[in-house]
Amino acid sequence: MDIALASDHGGFQLKETLKTFLNDLGHQVGDFGTNSPDPVDYPDFVIPACRAVAEGRCERGIVICGTGIGACITANKVKGIRAALCLDAYSTQQSRIDNNANVLCLGGRVMGVELAKEIVRIWLETEFSGAERHRRRLAKIQAIEASSTYPTTERC
Ligand code: RB5
């Protein structure tokens, strides 16, 4: 699977660890930065990664900041993105089964590496249920997006 990966400085170490983990699992990783622990602004990295997902250049995205909160708020501003902040296995599973999340948000300062790897593994392996009630709910979100005018294509 082609996966867009991005972080700020708070998620940099975890991003580097997950890049190796994802490569070892056989995935193709597009690394959208950041490339050092120096302080940066998470939208500058999260938005390009999410656009790659929204535009179909990557199938899924994983975005990481210190808590995962800023990354998640940002990701959900990109049209077509359904981003889920997952810090436990159950939420991770449901984010795919119910919400068809296409971006996973993680917090580099609030979770251990082994938990993060387990969450990533579950998230990549779990399919959307496709249930009518979930499609209906997601369609309502899509309808709100369609009535908004925020941009999708220009570079950050
Ligand atoms: C950066 O210090 C921190 O605010 C950021 O990584 C993230 O946690 C924001 O939500």
Side-chain angles (χ1 to χ4, degrees), residues 8-10 42 65-71 109:
D8 72 353
H9 53 292
Y42 50 82
C65 64
T67 59
I69 296 170
R109 292 174 178 160

Side-chain angles (χ1 to χ4, degrees), residues 14-139:
L14 182 57
K15 175 174 73 67
E16 294 302 297
T17 301
L18 290 180
K19 188 161 56 175
T20 304
F21 179 65
L22 290 165
N23 281 326
D24 289 348
L25 288 177
H27 297 289
Q28 292 73 47
V29 178
D31 186 347
F32 287 77
T34 185
N35 298 312
S36 86
D38 296 341
V40 292
D41 298 335
Y42 50 82
D44 295 342
F45 302 89
V46 169
I47 289 180
C50 288
R51 284 186 177 146
V53 176
E55 293 166 9
R57 286 178 279 126
C58 291
E59 195 172 335
R60 304 266 195 95
I62 300 174
V63 296
I64 312 165
C65 64
T67 59
I69 296 170
C72 196
I73 292 170
T74 305
N76 278 308
K77 299 296 181 192
V78 177
K79 203 167 189 173
I81 293 303
R82 296 175 299 278
L85 172 56
C86 298
L87 304 174
D88 67 89
Y90 179 74
S91 303
T92 302
Q93 186 180 282
Q94 297 314 116
S95 81
R96 291 288 309 136
I97 293 173
D98 295 355
N99 312 112
N100 197 13
N102 52 10
V103 169
L104 172 68
C105 309
L106 299 173
R109 292 174 178 160
V110 297
M111 64 199 306
V113 167
E114 294 309 318
L115 175 61
K117 286 181 182 174
E118 183 64 2
I119 282 174
V120 166
R121 194 187 57 72
I122 292 169
W123 191 71
L124 292 174
E125 287 177 358
T126 306
E127 294 300 325
F128 176 47
S129 71
E132 196 281 326
R133 67 185 185 286
H134 294 308
R135 289 188 184 281
R136 184 180 66 239
R137 291 159 191 166
L138 295 176

